[in-house]
mmCIF file of all heavy atoms in Angstrom:
data_model
loop_
_atom_site.group_PDB
_atom_site.id
_atom_site.type_symbol
_atom_site.label_atom_id
_atom_site.label_comp_id
_atom_site.label_asym_id
_atom_site.label_seq_id
_atom_site.Cartn_x
_atom_site.Cartn_y
_atom_site.Cartn_z
ATOM 1 N N LEU J 75 -43.989 24.933 8.126
ATOM 2 C CA LEU J 75 -43.515 25.866 7.110
ATOM 3 C C LEU J 75 -44.224 25.547 5.793
ATOM 4 O O LEU J 75 -43.884 24.573 5.112
ATOM 5 C CB LEU J 75 -41.999 25.751 6.936
ATOM 6 C CG LEU J 75 -41.333 26.719 5.970
ATOM 7 C CD1 LEU J 75 -41.526 28.167 6.415
ATOM 8 C CD2 LEU J 75 -39.856 26.399 5.841
ATOM 9 N N PRO J 76 -45.258 26.341 5.444
ATOM 10 C CA PRO J 76 -45.998 26.053 4.214
ATOM 11 C C PRO J 76 -45.242 26.500 2.967
ATOM 12 O O PRO J 76 -44.544 27.507 2.972
ATOM 13 C CB PRO J 76 -47.286 26.860 4.392
ATOM 14 C CG PRO J 76 -46.896 27.998 5.282
ATOM 15 C CD PRO J 76 -45.816 27.475 6.191
ATOM 16 N N LYS J 77 -45.389 25.712 1.906
ATOM 17 C CA LYS J 77 -44.815 26.052 0.603
ATOM 18 C C LYS J 77 -45.814 26.914 -0.158
ATOM 19 O O LYS J 77 -47.015 26.742 0.019
ATOM 20 C CB LYS J 77 -44.544 24.788 -0.210
ATOM 21 C CG LYS J 77 -43.497 23.884 0.357
ATOM 22 C CD LYS J 77 -43.395 22.669 -0.549
ATOM 23 C CE LYS J 77 -42.448 21.632 -0.022
ATOM 24 N NZ LYS J 77 -42.411 20.436 -0.880
ATOM 25 N N PRO J 78 -45.375 27.780 -1.003
ATOM 26 C CA PRO J 78 -43.989 28.167 -1.191
ATOM 27 C C PRO J 78 -43.541 29.096 -0.064
ATOM 28 O O PRO J 78 -44.341 29.815 0.529
ATOM 29 C CB PRO J 78 -44.003 28.907 -2.526
ATOM 30 C CG PRO J 78 -45.374 29.500 -2.610
ATOM 31 C CD PRO J 78 -46.282 28.524 -1.896
ATOM 32 N N PHE J 79 -42.281 29.056 0.249
ATOM 33 C CA PHE J 79 -41.734 29.938 1.272
ATOM 34 C C PHE J 79 -40.486 30.611 0.718
ATOM 35 O O PHE J 79 -39.859 30.112 -0.210
ATOM 36 C CB PHE J 79 -41.424 29.186 2.572
ATOM 37 C CG PHE J 79 -40.542 27.982 2.389
ATOM 38 C CD1 PHE J 79 -39.162 28.096 2.366
ATOM 39 C CD2 PHE J 79 -41.097 26.722 2.258
ATOM 40 C CE1 PHE J 79 -38.354 26.991 2.192
ATOM 41 C CE2 PHE J 79 -40.301 25.600 2.095
ATOM 42 C CZ PHE J 79 -38.930 25.735 2.055
ATOM 43 N N SER J 80 -40.158 31.727 1.300
ATOM 44 C CA SER J 80 -38.975 32.468 0.847
ATOM 45 C C SER J 80 -37.745 32.016 1.642
ATOM 46 O O SER J 80 -37.866 31.394 2.708
ATOM 47 C CB SER J 80 -39.183 33.970 1.044
ATOM 48 O OG SER J 80 -39.176 34.291 2.429
ATOM 49 N N LYS J 81 -36.610 32.355 1.117
ATOM 50 C CA LYS J 81 -35.350 32.061 1.804
ATOM 51 C C LYS J 81 -35.358 32.724 3.179
ATOM 52 O O LYS J 81 -34.940 32.118 4.172
ATOM 53 C CB LYS J 81 -34.174 32.572 0.972
ATOM 54 C CG LYS J 81 -32.831 32.370 1.610
ATOM 55 C CD LYS J 81 -31.713 32.918 0.721
ATOM 56 C CE LYS J 81 -30.368 32.828 1.383
ATOM 57 N NZ LYS J 81 -29.309 33.374 0.519
ATOM 58 N N ASN J 82 -35.849 33.958 3.261
ATOM 59 C CA ASN J 82 -35.883 34.666 4.544
ATOM 60 C C ASN J 82 -36.824 33.999 5.536
ATOM 61 O O ASN J 82 -36.524 33.938 6.727
ATOM 62 C CB ASN J 82 -36.261 36.130 4.355
ATOM 63 C CG ASN J 82 -35.124 36.936 3.786
ATOM 64 O OD1 ASN J 82 -33.965 36.548 3.867
ATOM 65 N ND2 ASN J 82 -35.439 38.067 3.179
ATOM 66 N N GLN J 83 -37.963 33.474 5.065
ATOM 67 C CA GLN J 83 -38.876 32.766 5.968
ATOM 68 C C GLN J 83 -38.195 31.521 6.539
ATOM 69 O O GLN J 83 -38.312 31.244 7.728
ATOM 70 C CB GLN J 83 -40.155 32.358 5.234
ATOM 71 C CG GLN J 83 -41.077 33.508 4.934
ATOM 72 C CD GLN J 83 -42.226 33.069 4.049
ATOM 73 O OE1 GLN J 83 -42.023 32.505 2.971
ATOM 74 N NE2 GLN J 83 -43.442 33.312 4.522
ATOM 75 N N LEU J 84 -37.489 30.805 5.687
ATOM 76 C CA LEU J 84 -36.770 29.616 6.138
ATOM 77 C C LEU J 84 -35.685 29.979 7.142
ATOM 78 O O LEU J 84 -35.580 29.371 8.213
ATOM 79 C CB LEU J 84 -36.169 28.868 4.952
ATOM 80 C CG LEU J 84 -35.282 27.666 5.298
ATOM 81 C CD1 LEU J 84 -36.059 26.610 6.076
ATOM 82 C CD2 LEU J 84 -34.673 27.085 4.027
ATOM 83 N N LEU J 85 -34.892 30.993 6.822
ATOM 84 C CA LEU J 85 -33.817 31.403 7.722
ATOM 85 C C LEU J 85 -34.357 31.914 9.054
ATOM 86 O O LEU J 85 -33.793 31.606 10.116
ATOM 87 C CB LEU J 85 -32.930 32.454 7.053
ATOM 88 C CG LEU J 85 -32.108 31.952 5.864
ATOM 89 C CD1 LEU J 85 -31.376 33.131 5.196
ATOM 90 C CD2 LEU J 85 -31.151 30.858 6.270
ATOM 91 N N ASP J 86 -35.444 32.671 9.027
ATOM 92 C CA ASP J 86 -36.062 33.158 10.256
ATOM 93 C C ASP J 86 -36.549 32.002 11.133
ATOM 94 O O ASP J 86 -36.337 31.995 12.338
ATOM 95 C CB ASP J 86 -37.235 34.105 9.967
ATOM 96 C CG ASP J 86 -36.800 35.445 9.419
ATOM 97 O OD1 ASP J 86 -35.600 35.791 9.512
ATOM 98 O OD2 ASP J 86 -37.672 36.172 8.876
ATOM 99 N N LEU J 87 -37.168 31.005 10.505
ATOM 100 C CA LEU J 87 -37.651 29.861 11.272
ATOM 101 C C LEU J 87 -36.497 29.045 11.832
ATOM 102 O O LEU J 87 -36.538 28.617 12.986
ATOM 103 C CB LEU J 87 -38.554 28.981 10.397
ATOM 104 C CG LEU J 87 -39.144 27.762 11.107
ATOM 105 C CD1 LEU J 87 -39.907 28.139 12.374
ATOM 106 C CD2 LEU J 87 -40.036 26.990 10.145
#
Side-chain angles (χ1 to χ4, degrees):
L75 184 61
K77 295 178 185 177
F79 54 85
S80 70
K81 178 180 175 181
N82 285 339
Q83 287 172 305
L84 175 60
L85 293 174
D86 289 345
L87 181 55

